[in-house]
């Protein structure tokens, strides 16, 4: 088996994992609203718990994968997620579901850093651009398909499929991971026996206005702030769907619009690399995230919300792509860098929903206060980006 064929297997694991995790996590909020009557406060608190666990788990997961091996981390993650979801299917209470989700998040934590590192392993800059681009297309496509089809599938298969459908996918992933591990070991043995090739030059793009490490730092700041917005939106989607009187199936179709826009934007940015190491692109996208986030949750008309989703999907795509690409491009410890990238995401997943939940708890008569507070927090992120640029700008 060639390296490219191996990486096709890694991409399958990635796409299937994106589908399984998005199916469970995104529709968990609908499940909790339908079965337990959780409103915005409860769902925001649940999302914040997920982010808090993922913040520490993904950082440690990246270090674990770097030290003990990517395949060990994958098998541990898929196995733990499967066990948690099986347990969750038998204990429907609110506290039990929160605990199951937290343990499931621990299982997710080492998977993404491991897959990020595996698809980028052994690549020069040109290959890295191609691999990271394909990686983004695969996970965003799986997530978009899960949100689009999830509402209809839950209606057809029943709410218990929230648990057993992802379990089936994860068990298949465990089998495929074992097979890929054996093929990867064989490939490594063949590569070690062959003639050693000189490493290809790794030139930096010309006319950099900032050091590459500074672009990495800026992206690591911008991406978690974007996830502040993303996961506030995800937690409030059941309320948004109810506002427009959408069925569960229609909510899946409507709420997945920005997911598909993000997928299309990933394809465009994969084909055109001119945005690499350009501050105005990442900063402009981040400003668009702020505007479209507020528009999605505050504008009254369905058409306005759809337009805001279009902008939101394109903007969060460029910020995420920047964070992952620079994480893989700057430095050699890709597992650890992938863990930092994912830990930054966890910080955003926690902070946005936690802030929104706090505002709803303290000021229940001001339901939009949390949205404005999160918007203000996003503005702080823009100020931090500008400050980093001013501090590190080359003369």
């Amino acid at each position: 088996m060639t390296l490219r064929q191996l990486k096709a297997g890694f991409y399958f694991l990635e796409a299937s994992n994106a589908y399984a995790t998005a199916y469970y996590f995104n529709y968990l909020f609908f499940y909790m609203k339908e079965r337990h009557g959780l409103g915005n406060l409860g769902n925001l608190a649940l999302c914040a718990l997920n982010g808090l666990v993922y913040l520490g788990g993904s950082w440690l997961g990246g270090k674990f994968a770097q030290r003990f091996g990517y395949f060990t981390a994958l098998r541990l993650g898929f196995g733990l997620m499967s066990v948690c979801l099986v347990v969750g299917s038998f204990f429907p209470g609110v506290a039990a579901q929160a605990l199951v989700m937290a343990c499931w998040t621990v299982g997710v934590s080492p998977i993404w850093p491991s897959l990020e590192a595996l698809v980028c392993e052994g690549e020069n800059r040109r290959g890295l651009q191609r691999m990271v681009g394909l990686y983004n297309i695969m996970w965003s496509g799986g997530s978009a398909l899960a949100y689009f089809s999830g509402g209809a599938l839950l209606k057809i298969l029943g709410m218990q499929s929230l648990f057993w459908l992802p379990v089936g996918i994860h068990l298949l992933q465990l089998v495929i991971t074992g097979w890929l591990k054996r093929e990867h070991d064989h490939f490594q043995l063949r590569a070690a026996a062959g003639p050693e090739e000189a490493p290809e030059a790794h030139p930096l793009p010309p006319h950099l206005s900032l050091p590459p490490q500074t672009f990495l730092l800026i992206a690591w700041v911008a991406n978690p702030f974007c996830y502040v917005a993303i996961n506030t939106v995800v937690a409030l989607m059941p309320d948004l769907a109810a506002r427009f009187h959408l069925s569960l199936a229609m909510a899946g179709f409507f709420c997945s619009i920005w997911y598909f826009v993000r997928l299309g934007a990933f394809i465009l940015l994969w084909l055109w690399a001119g945005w690499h190491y350009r501050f105005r692109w990442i900063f402009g996208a981040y400003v668009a995230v702020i505007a479209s986030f507020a528009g999605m949750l505050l504008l009254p008309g369905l058409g306005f919300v759809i337009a805001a989703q279009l902008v939101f999907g394109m903007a969060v795509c460029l910020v995420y792509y920047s964070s992952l690409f620079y994480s893989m491009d700057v430095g050699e410890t890709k597992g650890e860098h992938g863990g930092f990238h994912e830990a930054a995401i966890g910080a955003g997943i926690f902070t946005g929903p936690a802030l929104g939940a706090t505002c709803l708890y303290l000021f229940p008569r001001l339901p939009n206060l949390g949205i404005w507070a999160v918007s203000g927090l996003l503005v702080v992120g823009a100020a931090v980006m500008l400050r980093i640029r001013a501090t590190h700008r080359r003369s």
Side-chain angles (χ1 to χ4, degrees):
M1 180 175 282
T2 66
L3 183 60
R4 287 292 177 263
Q5 289 171 329
L6 273 172
K7 292 195 175 185
F10 302 149
Y11 283 128
F12 174 81
L13 290 179
E14 177 207 353
S16 58
N17 198 59
Y19 187 94
T21 53
Y23 185 85
Y24 167 71
F25 185 67
N26 288 338
Y27 283 97
L28 177 64
F29 303 108
F30 288 88
Y31 175 89
M32 299 301 281
K33 182 178 180 67
E34 178 182 302
R35 293 290 175 89
H36 301 291
L38 255 66
N40 287 344
L41 175 60
N43 275 337
L44 285 168
L46 194 65
C47 192
L49 174 63
N50 169 264
L52 184 62
V53 175
Y54 194 63
L55 168 60
S58 56
W59 179 68
L60 293 174
K63 295 177 99 44
F64 178 89
Q66 192 73 47
R67 180 173 180 181
F68 296 102
Y70 303 133
F71 291 98
T72 300
L74 288 175
R75 286 184 286 203
L76 177 66
F78 293 142
L80 182 56
M81 284 194 293
S82 299
V83 171
C84 290
L85 292 174
V86 169
V87 172
S89 68
F90 289 102
F91 297 94
V94 174
Q97 288 299 314
L99 181 59
V100 164
M101 185 212 64
C103 295
W104 171 88
T105 305
V106 174
V108 176
S109 297
I111 290 176
W112 295 122
S114 299
L115 289 173
E116 289 160 5
L118 281 169
V119 300
C120 296
E121 192 175 46
E123 300 289 343
N124 56 35
R125 172 166 279 114
R126 179 175 296 180
L128 187 66
Q129 292 172 2
R130 184 169 60 252
M131 293 299 108
V132 172
L134 284 172
Y135 179 89
N136 287 333
I137 291 168
M138 290 296 175
W139 77 257
S140 61
S143 297
L145 183 61
Y147 215 142
F148 180 78
S149 63
L153 283 176
L154 284 165
K155 185 175 181 180
I156 295 169
L157 302 176
M159 270 294 179
Q160 284 300 104
S161 70
L162 185 74
F163 305 100
W164 62 256
L165 181 60
V167 167
I169 294 173
H170 295 321
L171 293 177
L172 175 62
Q173 289 173 318
L174 279 170
V175 174
I176 293 174
T177 300
W179 173 66
L180 288 173
K181 171 67 165 61
R182 290 191 297 271
E183 294 297 328
H184 186 267
D185 289 345
H186 293 157
F187 176 82
Q188 295 285 65
L189 287 172
R190 292 195 306 270
E196 186 174 353
E197 297 182 2
E200 188 171 339
H202 195 64
L204 290 171
H207 311 302
L208 283 178
S209 61
L210 297 166
Q213 292 79 5
T214 303
F215 277 101
L216 175 61
L217 179 59
I218 289 171
W220 277 355
V221 168
N223 199 42
F225 276 103
C226 279
Y227 271 83
V228 166
I230 289 171
N231 283 272
T232 303
V233 168
V234 168
L236 295 179
M237 277 300 185
D239 183 72
L240 189 65
R243 190 202 312 171
F244 294 111
H245 309 289
L246 301 176
S247 66
L248 184 59
M250 286 303 299
F253 302 151
F254 170 73
C255 298
S256 67
I257 291 173
W258 75 267
Y259 281 75
F260 283 103
V261 173
R262 181 177 63 182
L263 171 60
F266 273 134
I267 295 173
L268 290 175
L269 295 179
W270 174 52
L271 296 173
W272 178 68
W275 56 271
H276 289 174
Y277 295 104
R278 295 184 185 275
F279 178 79
R280 65 178 179 271
W281 278 91
I282 187 172
F283 186 75
Y286 184 82
V287 172
V289 168
I290 300 174
S292 56
F293 164 78
M296 286 173 66
L297 297 178
L298 295 174
L299 292 175
L302 191 62
F304 290 117
V305 176
I306 291 174
Q309 285 199 61
L310 299 179
V311 176
F312 191 73
M314 290 185 286
V316 297
C317 163
L318 192 141
V319 174
Y320 177 91
Y321 206 150
S322 299
S323 178
L324 181 57
F325 177 75
Y326 300 151
S327 293
M328 297 295 105
D329 195 42
V330 180
E332 296 300 325
T333 55
K334 298 187 184 336
E336 287 193 31
H337 270 197
F340 290 139
H341 163 79
E342 295 296 330
I345 290 174
I349 295 173
F350 166 72
T351 304
L355 179 59
T358 300
C359 290
L360 281 176
Y361 180 77
L362 295 177
F363 306 99
R365 295 186 179 181
L366 300 173
N368 290 335
L369 179 62
I371 299 171
W372 286 111
V374 171
S375 298
L377 183 62
L378 296 177
V379 172
V380 172
V384 173
M385 293 170 68
L386 290 173
R387 177 62 179 171
I388 294 173
R389 184 198 185 206
T391 303
H392 295 85
R393 191 166 189 174
R394 289 178 171 173
S395 57

